[in-house]
Amino acid sequence: QVRLVETGGGLVQAGGSLRLACVASGLTFRRYAMGWFRQGPGKEREFVAAIRWSGGITDYADSVKGRFTISRDTAKNTVYLQMNNLTPEDTAVYYCAADFDRLTRSAGEYDYWGQGTQVTVSS
């Protein structure tokens, strides 16, 4: 059974930082890409960042490039999203997702999803 569990969300002031973690189980990790998506109030779910488990190739949405960093710890089966210089526009529920074999920005391509973790940035 595949399971993705996100942690690390919370309330932070503008300009602050948070690190999200996603622990994955039940996957053959080297065959997957892992993505972070977010859904703000009244908005559609949007791509944030993704990383191939094998090789560590990354991709970022323009809105977070230079502020967010995605990484993985293969020994811990964990993917991280380090978020710096946060703004109120980053307020959203952040979801971790797993896609078999491809690094993609399309939410519909991802096979498995976590339950999400809330990030709130105050001004």
XYZ file of all heavy atoms in Angstrom, residues 48-84:
288
model
N 4.255 23.172 -7.837
C 5.265 23.942 -7.127
C 6.668 23.484 -7.519
O 7.493 24.281 -7.974
C 5.081 23.827 -5.600
C 6.209 24.558 -4.867
C 3.728 24.370 -5.179
N 6.953 22.220 -7.335
C 8.290 21.692 -7.615
C 8.217 20.185 -7.743
O 7.274 19.558 -7.247
C 9.267 22.073 -6.504
N 9.219 19.610 -8.414
C 9.282 18.163 -8.553
C 10.720 17.710 -8.642
O 11.614 18.489 -9.021
C 8.505 17.707 -9.791
N 10.951 16.437 -8.297
C 12.290 15.872 -8.331
C 12.207 14.409 -8.734
O 11.308 13.695 -8.287
C 12.977 16.038 -6.947
C 14.431 15.566 -7.001
C 12.212 15.309 -5.855
C 15.236 15.976 -5.760
N 13.098 13.998 -9.606
C 13.191 12.573 -9.905
C 13.951 11.901 -8.778
O 14.990 12.392 -8.344
C 13.919 12.344 -11.229
C 13.060 12.506 -12.452
C 13.791 11.974 -13.675
N 14.031 10.556 -13.577
C 13.209 9.632 -14.017
N 12.061 9.981 -14.584
N 13.501 8.348 -13.917
N 13.408 10.789 -8.305
C 14.070 10.101 -7.208
C 15.453 9.619 -7.634
O 16.419 9.718 -6.877
C 13.219 8.908 -6.740
C 13.531 8.563 -5.332
C 14.566 7.797 -4.893
C 12.840 8.994 -4.167
N 14.554 7.737 -3.529
C 13.509 8.444 -3.063
C 11.711 9.794 -3.970
C 13.067 8.679 -1.765
C 11.274 10.018 -2.674
C 11.956 9.456 -1.588
N 15.538 9.128 -8.864
C 16.813 8.653 -9.375
C 17.500 9.792 -10.119
O 16.985 10.311 -11.088
C 16.590 7.471 -10.317
O 17.794 7.055 -10.898
N 18.619 10.221 -9.630
C 19.380 11.266 -10.308
C 19.147 12.656 -9.774
O 19.981 13.546 -9.953
N 18.007 12.870 -9.132
C 17.767 14.139 -8.479
C 17.482 15.324 -9.381
O 17.612 16.469 -8.951
N 17.071 15.090 -10.619
C 16.720 16.200 -11.509
C 15.509 16.926 -10.938
O 14.566 16.294 -10.471
C 16.424 15.686 -12.920
C 17.671 15.033 -13.505
C 15.940 16.809 -13.827
C 17.427 14.307 -14.805
N 15.541 18.263 -10.974
C 14.472 19.047 -10.369
C 13.800 19.982 -11.377
O 14.369 20.289 -12.431
C 15.010 19.899 -9.206
O 16.052 20.762 -9.699
C 15.573 19.023 -8.100
N 12.615 20.433 -10.997
C 11.866 21.393 -11.792
C 11.084 22.263 -10.818
O 10.603 21.765 -9.793
C 10.910 20.678 -12.754
C 10.206 21.628 -13.698
O 10.767 22.710 -13.985
O 9.099 21.307 -14.156
N 10.960 23.558 -11.147
C 10.288 24.496 -10.257
C 9.318 25.371 -11.046
O 9.598 25.760 -12.192
C 11.296 25.419 -9.559
C 12.221 24.726 -8.618
C 13.466 24.275 -9.035
C 11.863 24.536 -7.283
C 14.324 23.638 -8.166
C 12.721 23.905 -6.397
C 13.953 23.460 -6.845
O 14.804 22.824 -5.967
N 8.221 25.731 -10.392
C 7.356 26.759 -10.945
C 8.087 28.097 -10.872
O 8.876 28.332 -9.943
C 6.055 26.832 -10.154
N 7.827 28.965 -11.826
C 8.498 30.262 -11.848
C 8.232 31.059 -10.569
O 9.094 31.816 -10.117
C 8.026 31.065 -13.061
C 8.566 30.511 -14.370
O 9.523 29.709 -14.337
O 8.028 30.876 -15.429
N 7.057 30.879 -9.998
C 6.671 31.675 -8.829
C 7.491 31.347 -7.586
O 7.510 32.134 -6.631
C 5.183 31.476 -8.529
O 4.904 30.102 -8.286
N 8.143 30.200 -7.575
C 8.912 29.804 -6.384
C 10.395 29.656 -6.665
O 11.187 29.456 -5.730
C 8.368 28.486 -5.785
C 6.875 28.605 -5.522
C 8.680 27.289 -6.668
N 10.783 29.757 -7.918
C 12.188 29.555 -8.284
C 13.061 30.577 -7.567
O 12.761 31.772 -7.528
C 12.334 29.693 -9.797
C 13.591 29.082 -10.371
C 13.541 29.080 -11.888
C 12.470 28.175 -12.427
N 12.460 28.100 -13.911
N 14.126 30.090 -6.965
C 15.021 30.962 -6.209
C 14.638 31.109 -4.749
O 15.434 31.597 -3.943
N 13.426 30.698 -4.381
C 12.983 30.774 -2.981
C 12.783 29.392 -2.376
O 13.023 29.191 -1.186
C 11.671 31.560 -2.880
C 11.742 32.971 -3.368
C 10.454 33.737 -3.052
N 9.289 33.144 -3.689
C 8.202 32.743 -3.025
N 8.141 32.873 -1.714
N 7.169 32.226 -3.675
N 12.305 28.450 -3.173
C 12.016 27.102 -2.694
C 13.070 26.129 -3.242
O 13.555 26.291 -4.364
C 10.641 26.633 -3.162
C 9.471 27.342 -2.542
C 9.619 28.493 -1.787
C 8.192 26.834 -2.709
C 8.537 29.140 -1.221
C 7.086 27.462 -2.156
C 7.271 28.628 -1.417
N 13.367 25.107 -2.446
C 14.293 24.061 -2.878
C 13.705 22.701 -2.549
O 13.329 22.452 -1.395
C 15.656 24.205 -2.187
O 16.200 25.494 -2.468
C 16.618 23.133 -2.692
N 13.624 21.844 -3.553
C 13.160 20.476 -3.341
C 14.375 19.564 -3.282
O 15.348 19.744 -4.030
C 12.175 20.036 -4.456
C 11.533 18.693 -4.119
C 12.856 20.000 -5.817
C 10.396 18.309 -5.054
N 14.325 18.600 -2.369
C 15.429 17.658 -2.234
C 14.877 16.334 -1.729
O 13.722 16.253 -1.333
C 16.490 18.197 -1.270
O 15.937 18.372 0.027
N 15.729 15.305 -1.776
C 15.270 14.009 -1.250
C 16.380 13.350 -0.484
O 17.564 13.555 -0.762
C 14.761 13.089 -2.371
C 15.851 12.289 -3.115
C 16.091 12.882 -4.468
N 16.925 11.994 -5.278
C 18.238 12.113 -5.389
N 18.863 13.077 -4.723
N 18.925 11.281 -6.154
N 15.972 12.560 0.494
C 16.892 11.751 1.288
C 16.514 10.300 1.010
O 15.504 9.811 1.534
C 16.763 12.089 2.772
C 17.775 11.354 3.635
O 18.170 10.222 3.255
O 18.151 11.892 4.684
N 17.288 9.649 0.166
C 16.922 8.301 -0.247
C 16.964 7.315 0.914
O 16.193 6.358 0.944
C 17.852 7.811 -1.367
O 19.211 7.915 -0.927
C 17.685 8.672 -2.614
N 17.820 7.549 1.890
C 17.908 6.639 3.044
C 16.663 6.725 3.914
O 16.294 5.745 4.571
C 19.148 6.952 3.859
N 16.024 7.889 3.915
C 14.846 8.093 4.763
C 13.545 8.049 3.973
O 12.469 8.287 4.535
C 14.951 9.436 5.491
C 16.092 9.507 6.478
C 16.099 10.853 7.196
C 17.228 10.913 8.220
N 17.247 12.220 8.926
N 13.636 7.794 2.661
C 12.442 7.796 1.797
C 11.626 9.064 1.964
O 10.393 9.020 2.011
C 11.569 6.575 2.108
C 12.291 5.278 1.841
O 13.230 5.232 1.047
N 11.865 4.221 2.505
N 12.319 10.177 2.036
C 11.675 11.443 2.347
C 12.038 12.500 1.309
O 13.200 12.585 0.895
C 12.090 11.931 3.740
O 11.708 10.941 4.707
C 11.427 13.247 4.086
N 11.052 13.277 0.922
C 11.248 14.419 0.041
C 10.967 15.682 0.844
O 9.994 15.715 1.620
C 10.315 14.347 -1.176
C 10.443 15.592 -2.035
C 10.626 13.116 -2.000
N 11.800 16.692 0.649
C 11.663 17.933 1.395
C 11.340 19.084 0.447
O 11.709 19.079 -0.719
C 12.960 18.251 2.137
C 13.379 17.199 3.119
C 14.346 16.248 2.790
C 12.814 17.145 4.394
C 14.732 15.284 3.689
C 13.199 16.179 5.304
C 14.159 15.248 4.950
O 14.538 14.279 5.842
N 10.685 20.087 1.014
C 10.506 21.347 0.316
C 10.893 22.451 1.283
O 10.165 22.750 2.229
C 9.055 21.536 -0.155
C 8.818 22.785 -1.012
C 9.526 22.636 -2.368
C 7.335 23.034 -1.224
N 12.069 23.012 1.046
C 12.542 24.136 1.852
C 11.987 25.405 1.237
O 12.243 25.690 0.058
C 14.069 24.172 1.867
C 14.647 25.366 2.606
C 14.368 25.335 4.092
O 14.508 24.288 4.733
N 13.962 26.459 4.659
N 11.250 26.165 2.022
C 10.585 27.368 1.529
C 11.129 28.579 2.269
O 10.975 28.676 3.490
C 9.070 27.258 1.722
C 8.467 25.998 1.116
S 6.668 25.955 1.227
C 6.439 25.847 2.998
N 11.767 29.470 1.547
C 12.344 30.681 2.127
C 11.662 31.917 1.575
O 11.019 31.879 0.525
C 13.843 30.744 1.816
C 14.614 29.600 2.404
O 14.273 29.072 3.466
N 15.677 29.187 1.715
